[in-house]
Structures are given as structure tokens and as C-alpha cells.
Amino acid sequence: MVVVVAGHAITTTVIWEPGRIAAENALSAIPEAHVITWLLQVMPLLFFVGGFSNALAWARYEGDYLAFLRTRLRRLLTPTVAFIVTWLVVAGGAALLPLPEPNVVARAADLAALPFWFLGLYVVVVAIAPSMLRMHWRLGWWAPTALVAGAVAVDVLVHGLGWEATGVANYAFVWLLPHQLGFFYADGRLERLTGAAAGGLAAMGLAGLTVAVTVGGYPMSMVGVPGADRWNTDPPSLALIALTTWLVGLILLARPVIEGWARRRAAQVQRLNAVTLTTYLWHVSAIALAAAVLYPLGFPRPETGSPLWWAMRPLWLVAVAPVLVLLVRLFRRFEVHPDHRGTPGVAPLSDQYVTAGFAVASLALGILGFGVTGFDQPATPVGETVLAFTLNPLQSVVHVSVGLALLRSVFAPRPALFGVIGASFSYLLLGTAGWSDGLRLFATNPAVARLHVGLGTLGLALLVLARFGNRRRTSLRLPTVPPPVPRPNE
């Protein structure tokens, strides 16, 4: 997380000119610095740690999927919802108040949701983690091998045959790979890789990266660079698999040093772990707020890539740090670490699983939507277009709200049935209104209208199938005593 925060602070240049405030990615202006992303693009490690964490969490629940999902999503969503509500209020106020141009608040609201692309994907990853873990137990190394093979096939289709639409599949193949490798760390197989073995894994990944960018035609940068013809992250490419191998090998090689440092500073590490998600959510906001405070006071703004710009980067990090610390102190109360609680009563019904899946899909759609549009002008009918879908913040509010309501209904005394029915008809209403001038704010183009109709129809169809499945099941008592929590080395 330290690398994520420092990387964004280093590579983000805020342009502050009369009549214009903008954020410039320094990588666009400094092509020779692209190789530094081989160390700064640490998202594979976040998924890797997520796989390790999800494997240990699942061991506490002894097959109680709904309890696992409730605890893991509460951990993720509580600080995320607080972040969304805060920025929607701020952005709404900025839209209503006669603030001078350029509108600093509106620009910050536009940038604040940059971290959401990871969270939107990770909500889905958490939901399917038990299934991926069962695949790990049954297939072992064949599971990550299949993910690599899938990524290779998609890259061939996208870059070899020009079938660009198939690239969306690599969001699953590429980002699930480090998560799957995290299971091998949890069961001890990767933990045993030290010294020469870990160095060999890192060297293999580094060699793969070198071949990918020199022979394979992949971009040097492992993050998206505005203005570039091709990105390694959109869609995720085979180069990110080589990056995963490189970073996992590197972190295993450095593990003895990191563990020694962590043992000597156990209390500090524990405090940092307690605010990790809050730090991730608010670090881009801290960059924007630091610029809003310091630049009007005359903070130097050298040309991006100049010697003075490089010399000023450490000072800029020092300037951002207190703003981030202040935001973390204000919002850390929302970062919860809930204890295990089993699902009371009888075995879950099929429609509870359908509701949980529907909730996760709606939440992921909303969080990713905010990541695309930001929070600026939440009620504007003009949005950002991605894969033919024109999104705006108000749609994302609906998606997240529906997802939260559905998730709550899973654990209600009369779970699932009425929640899915209500959500399905809500989506059907929004979809049908989208073909007229009705609720245009909620469905900004026909593709979004079709998406909402499809979600509503799918929800009702799955519910019918689930209710049929309920009649074929026998209710079973769940364990009332939670299983012991395993130690990381077990």
C-alpha cells in the first residue's frame, strides 16, 4: 500500500493554471520512466495477498459461505460506502454552490474515485474465492496453468485476430492468477520458496517481461498511459502475468528481511494494517487536496520531467503525507474488522445464494461505474462511455444502493425472495424508461437500458430456478460454534 500511495503521488502532476485545473500522468511526458512501473505496479501483489487472506478466512467458516461473504464484504464495503457518501455530498454541494472557476472541488470529485477499479473487481473476487479455493484443492497447479492458458488465448484473439471484444475475459484470467497463487502461499507451498528458488522465479518473470516488451510488442509501462495506443491494463495483457511472476518472486526473495522488520515493529505494523483500506481509498483525495491548499500559496510547479521536477518529488511526497494522515484519522472509524459469525438457523436456501450473487454483481457494477465517472456532477445526463455503456454517477448510486439492499435481505428473517423481486422490477423499470425520455438520468443510452432490462430479467429467472431448487432440498442445521481460527503457518 505504501508503494501504491507513493507511486500515485510521484507520477501525478497537478496542472494549476488560470482557468484550468487538470491532472497529468507523468508517464505521458517521460517515456523513459515507464520501466519504473515494473516495481510500482503492485496490484498483482494486492490480489496475491487477497488470495492468502481469503484462504485463511474461508478456513474459519467450515463451508458457511454466507457468513464468509457477509464478513468479508462488510470489511470492504463499510469504509467504501462512507467514502462514496462523503464525496457525493461534496460533489452535490459543489454543483449547487456558485463556486469560482476553475472549480477545485469539482475537479477533486472527478479524480477521487480512481482507486475504485480495483475494489469493483475485488468484490467479485471475494464472492467467488471459495469456488476458486475448491479448484485449488482439486487441480493444484493446473488451476493457475489454465488461467495463464486462457490469458494467452485471449491475447491471441485480441492482438492477433483483432477480436477486441474478447479482451474483457482477461480481467478474469489475469487478475485471478495472483489471487490463485495466494492460495499456494496460504497452504505453504510458495512459502517454502526462498533464496535461489525465489530468485529464479523473479528472474523468470523479469525475462518474460523483457521478451514481452521487446519481441512481443507489449507496452513498456505496466499501467495505462494516457495518449498511448495500447495499454497493458485495458484489457489486462499477458505482460501482467509476467509482472505477477516477477513481483511474487521478488517479494518471496525479500520475505526474510520484511519479516524481520515486521517483528521488530509489530505494534506499528498492526496499526498500519488497521487502516489499509482507508489509506487506499483516500490517497488520491489527499493528492488533490494537497494541491488545492499548496499551489495557490505558491508551491513550485516545475515542468513535468525537468530536473527540478524530479528534485521536487520527495518534497511533494512530504507535502501530501500530512493531508493523507488527517483524512485517515477522520475516516478510520469506518474501517471494521468483523469477527466470525456463523449463519444462524437452517441451511441457506438457493434463493439466498441467488440474492447474494445478484447483490455482488450490482455492487461491482456501481463501484466500477464510480471509478469510470468519478463523483462530479452526480445528476448529469452526460456521462462517460465504456464498452458502449454511457455511465453517470446517479446510475452508480442506484447500483450500489440496490446491491446493499439485496445483501441486507440475504440475512433478513424473510430473506432473499422479496429483495430479488424488488431489485429485478427496479432494474426493469429503469431499463424500459431508458428507451424514452423518462428516467434519462438513470439510463443515459440504449445500451444501459438493455443492461438494466437484462439484469432485471436475469434476476427473476434465477429466482424462479432457485425456488424450484428449494423444494428439492432438505434443511440442515448449521454449526452453532465457530471453528478455531487457523494460524497463518497452518
Side-chain angles (χ1 to χ4, degrees):
M1 194 58 62
V2 171
V3 174
V4 171
V5 173
H8 278 146
I10 290 171
T11 60
T12 301
T13 299
V14 179
I15 300 173
W16 195 281
E17 299 174 347
R20 184 171 81 104
I21 298 174
E24 179 187 45
N25 190 327
L27 297 175
S28 298
I30 317 172
E32 57 271 19
H34 288 188
V35 70
I36 200 173
T37 61
W38 294 16
L39 289 173
L40 295 183
Q41 171 57 295
V42 293
M43 285 302 166
L45 289 182
L46 293 185
F47 281 99
F48 177 72
V49 173
F52 168 80
S53 180
N54 286 329
L56 292 186
W58 179 244
R60 300 186 183 107
Y61 294 94
E62 292 188 343
D64 191 344
Y65 174 75
L66 294 181
F68 167 85
L69 189 67
R70 174 176 56 192
T71 305
R72 301 301 283 170
L73 289 188
R74 186 184 172 203
R75 164 84 174 87
L76 283 171
L77 295 176
T78 303
T80 301
V81 171
F83 179 87
I84 291 172
V85 171
T86 301
W87 269 112
L88 284 175
V89 171
V90 171
L96 295 174
L97 296 175
L99 298 177
E101 292 295 337
N103 192 326
V104 179
V105 178
R107 191 67 187 117
D110 188 41
L111 298 173
L114 178 65
F116 269 29
W117 76 266
F118 168 76
L119 285 178
L121 292 175
Y122 193 66
V123 165
V124 178
V125 170
V126 167
I128 65 174
S131 297
M132 300 303 295
L133 192 55
R134 282 191 287 270
M135 186 184 299
H136 166 74
W137 294 331
R138 293 173 183 174
L139 301 179
W141 287 106
W142 286 109
T145 301
L147 293 172
V148 173
V152 171
V154 169
D155 267 19
V156 169
L157 292 175
V158 172
H159 303 298
L161 301 178
W163 296 4
E164 294 184 3
T166 61
V168 70
N170 262 0
Y171 282 97
F173 291 133
V174 171
W175 293 121
L176 282 176
L177 175 66
H179 186 263
Q180 201 74 15
L181 293 178
F183 297 155
F184 289 91
Y185 188 73
D187 70 15
R189 278 182 272 187
L190 276 180
E191 187 180 8
R192 291 191 289 270
L193 286 184
T194 57
L201 185 65
M204 185 171 64
L206 187 59
L209 276 173
T210 304
V211 171
V213 302
T214 55
V215 179
Y218 291 90
M220 177 75 72
S221 175
M222 294 297 117
V223 301
V225 178
D229 296 331
R230 180 176 168 184
W231 289 9
N232 280 317
T233 54
D234 187 20
S237 74
L238 197 58
L240 288 180
I241 289 182
L243 178 71
T244 296
T245 308
W246 153 245
L247 289 177
V248 170
L250 194 63
I251 206 70
L252 291 175
L253 191 63
R255 179 171 174 259
V257 175
I258 295 171
E259 281 192 332
W261 176 87
R263 279 194 296 267
R264 292 191 299 273
R265 296 167 175 82
Q268 294 94 322
V269 170
Q270 187 175 10
R271 285 197 295 270
L272 287 173
N273 280 338
V275 294
T276 300
L277 187 52
T278 304
T279 303
Y280 178 75
L281 285 167
W282 287 98
H283 76 279
V284 175
S285 303
I287 295 171
L289 293 174
V293 171
L294 296 175
Y295 281 1
L297 298 177
F299 192 87
R301 303 191 298 275
E303 182 182 355
T304 302
S306 66
L308 182 57
W309 182 89
W310 282 108
M312 291 291 297
R313 289 296 91 188
L315 182 59
W316 176 241
L317 285 175
V318 171
V320 171
V323 182
L324 179 58
V325 170
L326 176 61
L327 289 173
V328 169
R329 285 185 175 275
L330 285 174
F331 292 97
R332 64 184 178 183
R333 69 192 67 186
F334 297 105
E335 184 150 355
V336 296
H337 297 262
D339 295 329
H340 164 79
R341 284 189 300 157
T343 305
V346 297
L349 301 174
S350 299
D351 54 324
Q352 285 178 274
Y353 289 109
V354 168
T355 307
F358 202 179
V360 167
S362 192
L363 287 165
L365 185 62
I367 293 172
L368 289 171
F370 279 125
V372 171
T373 66
F375 300 102
D376 187 26
Q377 298 291 328
T380 178
V382 180
E384 300 285 341
T385 300
V386 179
L387 298 175
F389 300 105
T390 301
L391 308 174
N392 71 356
L394 197 55
Q395 287 177 37
S396 298
V397 170
V398 172
H399 296 155
V400 170
S401 300
V402 168
L404 291 174
L406 283 171
L407 205 59
R408 185 176 181 84
S409 77
V410 173
F411 307 102
R414 291 178 173 269
L417 178 62
F418 297 107
V420 174
I421 291 174
S424 297
F425 277 107
S426 296
Y427 277 130
L428 287 171
L429 175 62
L430 290 177
T432 52
W435 272 297
S436 66
D437 290 330
L439 300 176
R440 181 65 68 182
L441 288 177
F442 297 96
T444 50
N445 72 343
V448 172
R450 288 191 289 270
L451 173 66
H452 287 158
V453 169
L455 284 171
T457 304
L458 180 63
L460 291 176
L462 290 175
L463 186 60
V464 170
L465 293 175
R467 298 304 292 178
F468 176 75
N470 287 341
R471 297 192 185 100
R472 300 167 61 101
R473 296 186 55 174
T474 303
S475 293
L476 299 174
R477 282 281 171 187
L478 294 175
T480 55
V481 179
V485 177
R487 295 182 179 179
N489 291 329
E490 289 180 344

